[in-house]
Amino acid sequence: MKKQNRSSRLSSLAEDMGTGGTPDEVPFRSRLHYLFAQIEKEFELLYLENLNLQDKLDGYINKESLQSHERCTAANQCAAPVTVSHEETDTAGTAVSSKSLKSKFTSSGGKVKASHKIKAQTSRIVSSFKNQSVVSSVMREFCGHKDGVWQVAAKFGQPIIGTASADHTACIWGIESGRCLLQYTGHAGSVNSIKFHHNRDLVLTGSGDGTAHIWQAALAGVSRKGHSSEEELDDSDEQVEDRDRVDTLRTPLCEFAGPGGHLSVVVAADWLSNMDQIITGSWDRVAILWDVETREPLQPLTGHDHELTHVSAHPTQRLVVTASRDSTFRLWDFRDPISGVSVFQGHTESVTSTVFTRDDKVVSGSDDRTVKVWELRNMRSALTTIRTDSSVNRLAVSNGGIIAIPHDNRQIRLFDLNGQRIARLPRTSRQGHGRMVSSVAWEEREEPLLNCDLSLFSCGFDRRVFRWSVILPKDN
């Protein structure tokens, strides 16, 4: 009956479409009749296939139900008879009810059992495709800034990190103690970036006051792992107060400003690989290559149409990338006497950060909610595109190729260079950032960090800085 009703509905629709009109419209009506006939034929085939599948499923369920009934019957036959006394009427009533319920479930619940079995099989199949879980947790919090923190950086080979804040200060922190060891107050504006010298106790910062500074960060007792419990017991109040005191530095070793310098906010600065030159980027749409010894500008890098958002230097080669709000980033090559530039286009909104990897790739993040991995030798298209649900801020790539992505929506996500998602760091009312995560940095070590406990640092506009422990599964 259903089949006849469906056919009559399709036929009446075809007739409605074909009625009336002039003789010139006859070919069109014939064409419509033909098309509707084809559609009806396809529906009939689908309907028959569905009936076939339904019969197979019913047969499977009935078979399962029959087997369950036979098992229950065999169990009842083997069970010893039970005599119930009058005192046990309530208990017996419960037992009878339970038995009746069980028999009803056995007879009418075959479908439920079959569906559970199918779900279990599906679950096993799906679980075989899932990655092993990544264990991540907050190990320490660094508190002290009075405004949002723009960037966090780790020092190679030393247990310290640096932070740059909108409160006009930059701080050096002990990783193990969580204490602020040194506060730099030499800038007159927001400190927007911070980078350590690779092998000297020097720090490079860029600021909203339009300047970049290099300052001394020689810290006494940084390598000391801590006091024993006996030493702590013997500490006097004076010694405790001395340990809690924060040293303040106000005067830089070098200041990069003046003629040929920037005319607006310096948003980022970095050391070139030889450490005798630095690169700075500004809202004046220009990046500048500086000589550290003379403090003079060597070369302005122009070409971006809008404000710069980030600059980054290659760790071992004289290469620099500059990112801009014009949705592009540029690769500057200083390995030859005549420098070259390549433009990378692929994002649709501001490029917020660009960093090099150890295997000569560039990873870029953008306000268009994507992260792209690029091959330096091929700027035409990205090797990998990672799509997220929020704007991307200053990301970081570990020596082992793990991309840490900080977001405007307070999340931090981990991906590999192939675009495979690894983890999302936990964020609850007690754990994680409460506002935008502005920057992340991996702890720097000599060997690539693979299949072990990694340390990741993050900072945000909730004024908080965290150290995360990230334990990857062995197959990563």
Side-chain angles (χ1 to χ4, degrees), residues 100-174:
S100 302
L101 182 62
K102 183 177 180 181
S103 63
K104 288 180 182 178
F105 179 80
T106 303
S107 59
S108 63
K111 293 183 180 180
V112 177
K113 289 186 177 181
S115 65
H116 284 177
K117 186 173 182 179
I118 294 171
K119 285 181 181 178
Q121 292 172 348
T122 306
S123 178
R124 284 195 295 270
I125 294 171
V126 172
S127 63
S128 66
F129 291 99
K130 288 184 178 179
N131 291 331
Q132 290 177 284
S133 59
V134 173
V135 180
S136 57
S137 60
V138 173
M139 299 297 291
R140 187 170 295 282
E141 183 176 352
F142 306 84
C143 299
H145 281 296
K146 296 181 174 61
D147 206 337
V149 184
W150 278 117
Q151 189 168 19
V152 60
K155 170 68 172 174
F156 179 81
Q158 288 191 34
I160 57 174
I161 60 169
T163 53
S165 173
D167 65 7
H168 298 194
T169 70
C171 292
I172 307 298
W173 307 81

Side-chain angles (χ1 to χ4, degrees), residues 167-183:
D167 65 7
H168 298 194
T169 70
C171 292
I172 307 298
W173 307 81
I175 290 177
E176 300 301 329
S177 65
R179 289 181 51 237
C180 180
L181 306 176
L182 178 65
Q183 185 181 61

Side-chain angles (χ1 to χ4, degrees), residues 196-207:
F196 286 100
H197 191 283
H198 187 73
N199 47 28
R200 296 178 61 187
D201 293 328
L202 299 175
V203 181
L204 170 65
T205 50
S207 171

Side-chain angles (χ1 to χ4, degrees), residues 17 125 130 138 154 159 181 197 237 251 312 321 333 354 424 440 461:
M17 294 293 294
I125 294 171
K130 288 184 178 179
V138 173
L181 306 176
H197 191 283
D237 292 340
T251 307
S312 180
V321 283
D333 190 345
T354 46
R424 182 179 68 181
V440 289
F461 258 63

